[in-house]
Amino acid sequence: MINHGNKNSGLNMIHKGFLGTIIFLLILLTGNVSQVYATSDWDTALEDINALHDNYIDLQEVIQADNLKIKKLRKQNNDDLKSIKTKLNAIDQILLNRLKTEAELIQQKHSTLLKQYSTLSKQSAAAKKTNDTKAVTIFDLKRNKLKPAATTARAEVKAKTDALTAARKQTATKTKPTKDILVLVTTLKQQIVAENKILTNAQQARSEADKRYKVAIKQGDAISAATEMKLSYQQMDIIQSMQKKLYDLEQRIATTLRSAESKLPQ
């Protein structure tokens, strides 16, 4: 008599073994597929790094060279601007200093007399308000005694002061063309300040991306390295564009300074 129980038990064992094999193969296959995809992404990232690397290094060198050009031209412009301002300040300076000294000396010479005369005038006016005729008479006598000398002193002070004022106006007229042009230099420098803020932000973003790129290289993470390299390169592209603008502005300043210098009075 056939034992059907033992037969069914054997079939169940075979069936379970077969299923176990299938599950193992699926797990193995799934793991290999994931590894294939991971390896593919890593290789693609490596190819991206390899493709961009030469341009990345070249752009770094271009940026460094452009930075030196900007610094050199900026220093020259600053030196030229300083020179022009020095020349401006020297125009008629000897004459102006002499006239200023003369005006100060004449004021000092007559200061006591003019102060005394002014005080007597105020005292007389105050006495008139209180109807103190005696005091008014005394103050007027003293004041009128000083009047000829005070009038002469005031005329001398005015002559020296007017001479200084006229000389200053003449000097201002001479220097106006150059100073007007230098206003444009100030405007251009303000534009440079604004552009430098954008440049600084790009440089900071590029520096941070470059740090992450180097960390990824140390970790053997090609995917992250490729991502950060591209970000760094994008910021370098912005930096190069900003440097071109800055150099253009410095060139405009150089041209403006030459024009300003040509307007200096001979």
Side-chain angles (χ1 to χ4, degrees):
M1 183 176 182
I2 298 174
N3 188 340
H4 292 287
N6 290 336
K7 183 179 181 181
N8 289 336
S9 175
L11 289 172
N12 287 335
M13 291 181 63
I14 294 172
H15 183 62
K16 288 180 180 180
F18 179 72
L19 286 176
T21 302
I22 294 297
I23 292 171
F24 174 77
L25 290 174
L26 285 173
I27 292 172
L28 184 62
L29 181 59
T30 302
N32 286 338
V33 169
S34 298
Q35 187 176 0
V36 167
Y37 279 117
T39 303
S40 176
D41 289 344
W42 195 93
D43 289 340
T44 299
L46 192 62
E47 290 174 0
D48 290 342
I49 293 172
N50 185 55
L52 186 59
H53 187 268
D54 288 346
N55 289 336
Y56 187 86
I57 298 300
D58 290 344
L59 189 53
Q60 278 184 322
E61 294 175 354
V62 169
I63 286 174
Q64 290 174 356
D66 287 349
N67 187 46
L68 292 176
K69 283 172 55 180
I70 293 170
K71 285 184 176 179
K72 181 178 179 181
L73 182 55
R74 182 171 294 159
K75 183 181 183 304
Q76 183 63 54
N77 285 341
N78 289 337
D79 289 345
D80 290 345
L81 178 58
K82 183 178 179 180
S83 174
I84 291 172
K85 287 183 175 180
T86 299
K87 291 176 182 178
L88 275 174
N89 292 332
I91 294 171
D92 294 339
Q93 199 58 45
I94 295 176
L95 172 63
L96 292 173
N97 286 339
R98 179 174 63 79
L99 292 176
K100 182 181 178 183
T101 299
E102 290 177 358
E104 290 173 348
L105 287 174
I106 202 69
Q107 286 173 347
Q108 291 174 6
K109 177 183 176 180
H110 297 307
S111 62
T112 301
L113 171 62
L114 293 174
K115 184 178 181 179
Q116 185 179 1
Y117 183 79
S118 177
T119 299
L120 288 169
S121 296
K122 291 177 181 178
Q123 288 173 332
S124 176
K128 287 177 182 178
K129 288 182 180 180
T130 60
N131 294 318
D132 187 347
T133 56
K134 180 180 178 181
V136 170
T137 300
I138 293 173
F139 290 141
D140 284 350
L141 281 170
K142 291 182 178 180
R143 184 192 64 183
N144 290 335
K145 183 182 180 181
L146 296 177
K147 187 173 182 178
T151 301
T152 300
R154 282 178 173 173
E156 290 179 1
V157 171
K158 186 177 184 302
K160 294 296 184 181
T161 303
D162 287 349
L164 176 60
T165 300
R168 283 173 172 170
K169 287 182 178 178
Q170 186 177 19
T171 301
T173 300
K174 288 180 182 179
T175 58
K176 188 177 185 301
T178 298
K179 288 183 176 179
D180 286 346
I181 295 174
L182 290 183
V183 171
L184 178 57
V185 173
T186 300
T187 301
L188 291 170
K189 282 184 170 292
Q190 289 172 345
Q191 292 181 33
I192 287 175
V193 171
E195 298 294 347
N196 265 328
K197 290 180 180 179
I198 301 174
L199 176 62
T200 299
N201 291 336
Q203 287 173 331
Q204 183 176 354
R206 189 261 161 170
S207 177
E208 291 172 355
D210 193 55
K211 288 178 182 177
R212 294 192 298 268
Y213 163 71
K214 290 176 180 177
V215 169
I217 292 295
K218 289 181 179 180
Q219 294 175 345
D221 186 351
I223 297 173
S224 294
T227 299
E228 299 304 336
M229 188 184 202
K230 290 173 184 177
L231 287 174
S232 179
Y233 188 81
Q234 288 172 358
Q235 293 302 321
M236 282 198 292
D237 194 45
I238 295 173
I239 291 170
Q240 186 188 25
S241 296
M242 296 309 304
Q243 285 181 327
K244 288 180 179 178
K245 288 183 180 180
L246 290 171
Y247 189 73
D248 179 64
L249 288 169
E250 292 292 348
Q251 284 183 315
R252 289 172 62 186
I253 288 177
T255 302
T256 304
L257 288 173
R258 287 194 293 270
S259 177
E261 189 168 22
S262 71
K263 297 295 182 181
L264 286 169
Q266 300 301 319

